[in-house]
């Protein structure tokens, strides 16, 4: 029985656009070799990784929808895993994948050396706490929102003290 699958794989951004097209053709041939019927292939774009993979910081993401027998999936996954052209891949049944809705943010490089930007702060300067954090600290200290004083909200608290106060607040409500 043919099942719908979704394959997302990453190609290193060090390759040219022609090379990326060649890798897409290779992956398509691999899928067809194992009896898959490809429905569509979508190049999602070039994105920055959260961490380096094989000393590469960016990659081209490609999404493929296809139908295949369940027995061929292990062979396809193994072939993609050992491929030198594919950095990472994930293969899911289409009903598990969540459909066509996905949110990916395109990478935009930030120039930290730009001295004209007014949004920079010194390395030794601590970030300012948001109003939400101040109110949460006030609630944990037993104060209401109306009683919050700017001086009391700006008090630094250690992680262990915060955990103790959270535990105490949870015990009171239970």
């Amino acid at each position: 029985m043919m099942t719908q699958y979704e394959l997302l794989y990453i190609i290193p951004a060090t390759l040219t656009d022609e090379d990326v097209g060649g890798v897409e053709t290779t992956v398509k041939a691999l899928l067809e070799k194992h009896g898959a019927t490809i429905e569509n292939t979508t190049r999602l774009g070039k994105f920055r990784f959260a961490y380096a993979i094989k000393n590469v910081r960016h990659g081209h993401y490609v999404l493929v929808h296809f139908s295949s027998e369940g027995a061929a999936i292990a062979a396809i996954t193994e072939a993609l895993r050992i491929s030198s052209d594919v950095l990472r891949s994930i293969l899911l049944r289409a009903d598990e994948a969540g459909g066509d809705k996905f949110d990916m943010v395109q990478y935009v490089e930030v120039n930290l050396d730009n001295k004209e930007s007014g949004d920079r702060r010194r390395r030794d300067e601590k970030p300012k706490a948001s109003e939400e954090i101040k109110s949460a600290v006030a609630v944990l200290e037993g104060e209401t929102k109306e009683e919050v004083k700017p001086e009391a909200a700006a008090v630094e608290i250690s992680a262990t003290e915060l955990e103790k106060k959270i535990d105490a607040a949870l015990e009171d409500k239970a």
Side-chain angles (χ1 to χ4, degrees), residues 128-161:
K128 305 217 179 353
S130 70
E131 291 301 320
E132 295 169 0
I133 295 173
K134 290 177 184 177
S135 2
V137 169
V139 169
L140 289 175
E141 291 177 350
E143 300 175 1
T144 63
K145 279 189 172 183
E146 294 79 30
E147 298 172 346
V148 175
K149 299 173 188 79
E151 308 86 67
V155 173
E156 288 189 28
I157 186 168
S158 72
T160 55
E161 291 173 342

Side-chain angles (χ1 to χ4, degrees), residues 11-36:
I11 303 169
T14 55
L15 299 178
T16 64
D17 286 338
E18 296 82 30
D19 293 338
V20 170
V23 173
E24 288 177 359
T25 305
T26 304
V27 170
K28 181 179 177 181
L30 169 77
L31 292 171
E32 290 172 347
K33 173 184 166 190
H34 291 285

Side-chain angles (χ1 to χ4, degrees), residues 109-117 119-120 123:
E109 190 167 344
V110 177
N111 185 2
L112 296 178
D113 295 330
N114 187 358
K115 305 254 190 268
E116 297 169 9
S117 173
D119 194 25
R120 293 180 43 140
R123 289 181 188 256

Side-chain angles (χ1 to χ4, degrees), residues 9-12 23 27 54 80 83-89:
Y9 62 96
I10 306 171
I11 303 169
V23 173
V27 170
K54 298 181 184 176
L80 288 169
S83 171
S84 62
D85 294 330
V86 176
L87 287 176
R88 293 281 193 272
S89 66

